[in-house]
Amino acid sequence: MHRRTFIASTAAATALPQLVSAQAAAFDPTPQEVRIKKSYKVGELLILPRSYYLYFVTDKGIARRYGVGVGKAGLEFTGSATIAVKKEWPTWRPTNEMIERNPAAYKRFIGNTEAQPGGPDNPLGARALYLFQGGKDTYFRIHGTTAPKSIGRSVSNGCIRMLNAHVKDLYQRVPIGTTVTVL
């Protein structure tokens, strides 16, 4: 073996684990079929906020995975809920808690019941799946977004956000009554 070949091979070998690690850790929001634990029920939605993925279980041990944005620390939803309402191009109004936390951002909603009509500029995006617990609205949603760069980040007021094309796809796949578990 020549000295140059040895040096080049050694350099390539030491770089290889870094490349493999970088590829394994890269966030990819693109919907794709992945393997999951076989203990999850077909039709269930699972959300892993730390990895920014939502999983729709399509078969035993198989799920369709989507990249998501999640709630900021202290604002995130945890536990289980049921999708009780689905809406296309939903209206939106910040919760009272959101208005209290940031009155400057939501000043137009103070002292009234105004809601922003559905449409391309609405923060809930193209579709919304409303999460309920015990028959009561949690005010948390799985919804589209007008901020695609927020996918893969902890930036929302607690809701799970998806790219509009991805939430449209999920909306068609999940019926009312679907169980959602945020792990």
Coordinates of all heavy atoms in Angstrom, one line a residue, residues 16-50:
L16 N -16.0 8.7 8.2 CA -17.2 7.9 8.0 C -18.2 7.9 9.2 O -19.4 8.2 9.0 CB -16.8 6.5 7.5 CG -18.0 5.6 7.1 CD1 -18.8 6.2 6.0 CD2 -17.5 4.3 6.8
P17 N -17.7 7.6 10.4 CA -18.7 7.6 11.5 C -19.4 9.0 11.7 O -20.6 9.0 12.0 CB -17.8 7.3 12.7 CG -16.6 6.6 12.2 CD -16.4 7.2 10.8
Q18 N -18.7 10.1 11.4 CA -19.3 11.4 11.6 C -20.4 11.6 10.5 O -21.5 12.1 10.8 CB -18.3 12.5 11.4 CG -17.3 12.5 12.6 CD -16.2 13.4 12.3 OE1 -16.0 14.0 11.3 NE2 -15.3 13.6 13.3
L19 N -20.2 11.1 9.3 CA -21.2 11.2 8.2 C -22.4 10.4 8.5 O -23.5 10.8 8.4 CB -20.6 10.9 6.9 CG -19.5 11.8 6.3 CD1 -18.9 11.2 5.1 CD2 -20.1 13.2 6.1
V20 N -22.2 9.2 9.0 CA -23.3 8.3 9.3 C -24.1 8.8 10.4 O -25.3 8.8 10.4 CB -22.7 6.8 9.6 CG1 -23.8 6.0 10.1 CG2 -22.1 6.2 8.4
S21 N -23.4 9.3 11.5 CA -24.1 9.9 12.6 C -25.0 11.1 12.2 O -26.1 11.3 12.6 CB -23.2 10.4 13.7 OG -22.5 9.2 14.2
A22 N -24.4 12.0 11.3 CA -25.1 13.2 10.9 C -26.3 12.8 10.1 O -27.4 13.4 10.2 CB -24.2 14.0 10.0
Q23 N -26.2 11.8 9.2 CA -27.3 11.3 8.4 C -28.4 10.7 9.3 O -29.6 11.0 9.1 CB -26.9 10.3 7.4 CG -26.1 11.0 6.3 CD -25.5 10.0 5.3 OE1 -25.6 8.8 5.5 NE2 -25.0 10.5 4.2
A24 N -28.1 10.0 10.3 CA -29.0 9.3 11.2 C -29.8 10.4 12.0 O -30.9 10.2 12.3 CB -28.4 8.3 12.1
A25 N -29.1 11.4 12.4 CA -29.7 12.4 13.2 C -30.5 13.6 12.5 O -31.1 14.4 13.1 CB -28.6 13.1 14.1
A26 N -30.3 13.6 11.1 CA -30.9 14.7 10.4 C -32.5 14.6 10.4 O -33.1 13.5 10.3 CB -30.5 14.6 8.9
F27 N -33.1 15.7 10.7 CA -34.6 15.8 10.8 C -35.1 15.9 9.4 O -34.7 16.7 8.5 CB -35.0 17.0 11.6 CG -36.4 17.3 11.6 CD1 -37.3 16.5 12.4 CD2 -37.0 18.3 10.8 CE1 -38.6 16.7 12.4 CE2 -38.4 18.5 10.8 CZ -39.2 17.7 11.6
D28 N -36.1 15.0 9.1 CA -36.7 15.0 7.8 C -38.2 15.0 8.0 O -38.8 14.0 8.4 CB -36.3 13.7 7.0 CG -36.9 13.7 5.6 OD1 -37.6 14.6 5.2 OD2 -36.6 12.7 4.9
P29 N -38.9 16.2 7.7 CA -40.3 16.2 7.9 C -41.2 15.5 6.9 O -42.4 15.4 7.0 CB -40.6 17.8 7.9 CG -39.6 18.3 6.9 CD -38.3 17.4 7.2
T30 N -40.6 15.0 5.8 CA -41.3 14.4 4.7 C -42.1 13.2 5.2 O -41.5 12.3 5.9 CB -40.3 13.9 3.6 OG1 -39.5 15.0 3.2 CG2 -41.1 13.4 2.4
P31 N -43.4 13.1 4.9 CA -44.1 11.9 5.3 C -43.5 10.6 4.7 O -43.2 10.6 3.5 CB -45.5 12.1 4.7 CG -45.6 13.6 4.5 CD -44.2 14.0 4.2
Q32 N -43.3 9.6 5.5 CA -42.8 8.4 5.1 C -43.2 7.2 6.0 O -43.5 7.4 7.2 CB -41.2 8.5 5.0 CG -40.6 9.0 6.3 CD -39.1 9.4 6.0 OE1 -38.3 8.5 5.9 NE2 -38.9 10.7 6.0
E33 N -43.1 6.0 5.4 CA -43.5 4.8 6.2 C -42.3 4.4 7.0 O -41.2 4.3 6.5 CB -43.9 3.7 5.2 CG -44.5 2.5 5.9 CD -45.0 1.5 4.9 OE1 -46.1 1.7 4.5 OE2 -44.2 0.5 4.6
V34 N -42.5 4.1 8.3 CA -41.4 3.7 9.2 C -41.9 2.6 10.1 O -43.1 2.4 10.3 CB -40.9 4.9 10.1 CG1 -40.3 6.0 9.3 CG2 -42.0 5.4 11.0
R35 N -40.9 1.9 10.7 CA -41.3 0.8 11.6 C -41.4 1.4 13.0 O -40.7 2.3 13.3 CB -40.2 -0.3 11.6 CG -40.1 -1.0 10.3 CD -39.0 -2.1 10.5 NE -38.8 -2.8 9.2 CZ -39.5 -3.9 8.9 NH1 -40.5 -4.4 9.7 NH2 -39.3 -4.5 7.7
I36 N -42.3 0.9 13.8 CA -42.5 1.3 15.2 C -42.8 0.0 16.0 O -42.9 -1.1 15.4 CB -43.7 2.3 15.3 CG1 -45.0 1.7 14.9 CG2 -43.4 3.6 14.6 CD1 -46.2 2.4 15.4
K37 N -42.9 0.2 17.3 CA -43.2 -1.0 18.2 C -44.5 -1.6 17.8 O -45.5 -0.8 17.5 CB -43.2 -0.5 19.6 CG -41.9 -0.1 20.2 CD -42.0 0.3 21.7 CE -40.7 0.8 22.2 NZ -40.9 1.2 23.6
K38 N -44.6 -2.9 17.8 CA -45.8 -3.5 17.4 C -46.9 -3.4 18.5 O -48.1 -3.7 18.2 CB -45.5 -5.0 17.2 CG -44.7 -5.2 16.0 CD -44.5 -6.7 15.7 CE -43.7 -6.8 14.4 NZ -43.5 -8.2 14.0
S39 N -46.6 -2.8 19.6 CA -47.6 -2.7 20.7 C -48.6 -1.5 20.4 O -49.7 -1.5 21.1 CB -46.9 -2.5 22.0 OG -46.1 -1.3 22.0
Y40 N -48.3 -0.6 19.5 CA -49.2 0.5 19.2 C -50.3 0.0 18.3 O -50.2 -0.8 17.4 CB -48.5 1.6 18.6 CG -47.4 2.2 19.5 CD1 -46.1 2.2 19.2 CD2 -47.9 2.8 20.7 CE1 -45.2 2.8 20.1 CE2 -46.9 3.4 21.6 CZ -45.6 3.3 21.3 OH -44.7 3.9 22.1
K41 N -51.5 0.5 18.6 CA -52.7 0.1 17.9 C -52.9 0.8 16.5 O -52.6 2.0 16.4 CB -54.0 0.4 18.7 CG -54.0 -0.3 20.0 CD -55.3 0.1 20.8 CE -55.2 -0.6 22.2 NZ -56.3 -0.1 23.0
V42 N -53.3 0.0 15.5 CA -53.6 0.6 14.2 C -54.7 1.7 14.3 O -55.7 1.5 15.1 CB -54.1 -0.6 13.3 CG1 -54.5 0.0 11.9 CG2 -53.0 -1.6 13.1
G43 N -54.4 2.8 13.7 CA -55.3 3.9 13.7 C -55.0 4.9 14.8 O -55.6 6.0 14.8
E44 N -54.1 4.7 15.6 CA -53.7 5.6 16.7 C -52.7 6.6 16.2 O -51.9 6.3 15.3 CB -53.0 4.7 17.8 CG -52.6 5.4 19.1 CD -52.0 4.4 20.1 OE1 -51.8 3.2 19.8 OE2 -51.9 4.8 21.2
L45 N -52.7 7.8 16.8 CA -51.7 8.9 16.5 C -50.8 9.0 17.7 O -51.3 9.1 18.8 CB -52.4 10.2 16.3 CG -53.1 10.5 14.9 CD1 -53.7 11.8 14.9 CD2 -52.1 10.3 13.8
L46 N -49.5 9.0 17.5 CA -48.5 9.2 18.5 C -47.7 10.4 18.2 O -47.3 10.5 17.0 CB -47.6 7.9 18.6 CG -48.3 6.6 18.8 CD1 -47.3 5.5 18.5 CD2 -48.8 6.5 20.2
I47 N -47.4 11.2 19.2 CA -46.6 12.4 18.9 C -45.4 12.3 19.9 O -45.6 12.2 21.1 CB -47.4 13.7 19.1 CG1 -48.5 13.7 18.1 CG2 -46.5 14.9 18.9 CD1 -49.6 14.7 18.3
L48 N -44.2 12.4 19.3 CA -43.0 12.5 20.1 C -42.4 13.9 20.0 O -41.6 14.2 19.1 CB -41.9 11.5 19.6 CG -42.2 10.0 20.1 CD1 -43.4 9.4 19.5 CD2 -41.0 9.2 19.9
P49 N -42.7 14.8 20.9 CA -42.3 16.2 20.8 C -40.8 16.4 20.8 O -40.3 17.3 20.1 CB -42.9 16.9 22.1 CG -44.0 16.0 22.5 CD -43.6 14.6 22.1
R50 N -40.1 15.6 21.5 CA -38.6 15.8 21.5 C -37.9 15.5 20.2 O -36.9 16.0 19.9 CB -38.0 14.9 22.6 CG -38.3 15.4 24.0 CD -37.5 14.7 25.1 NE -38.2 14.8 26.3 CZ -38.8 13.9 27.0 NH1 -38.8 12.6 26.5 NH2 -39.5 14.1 28.1

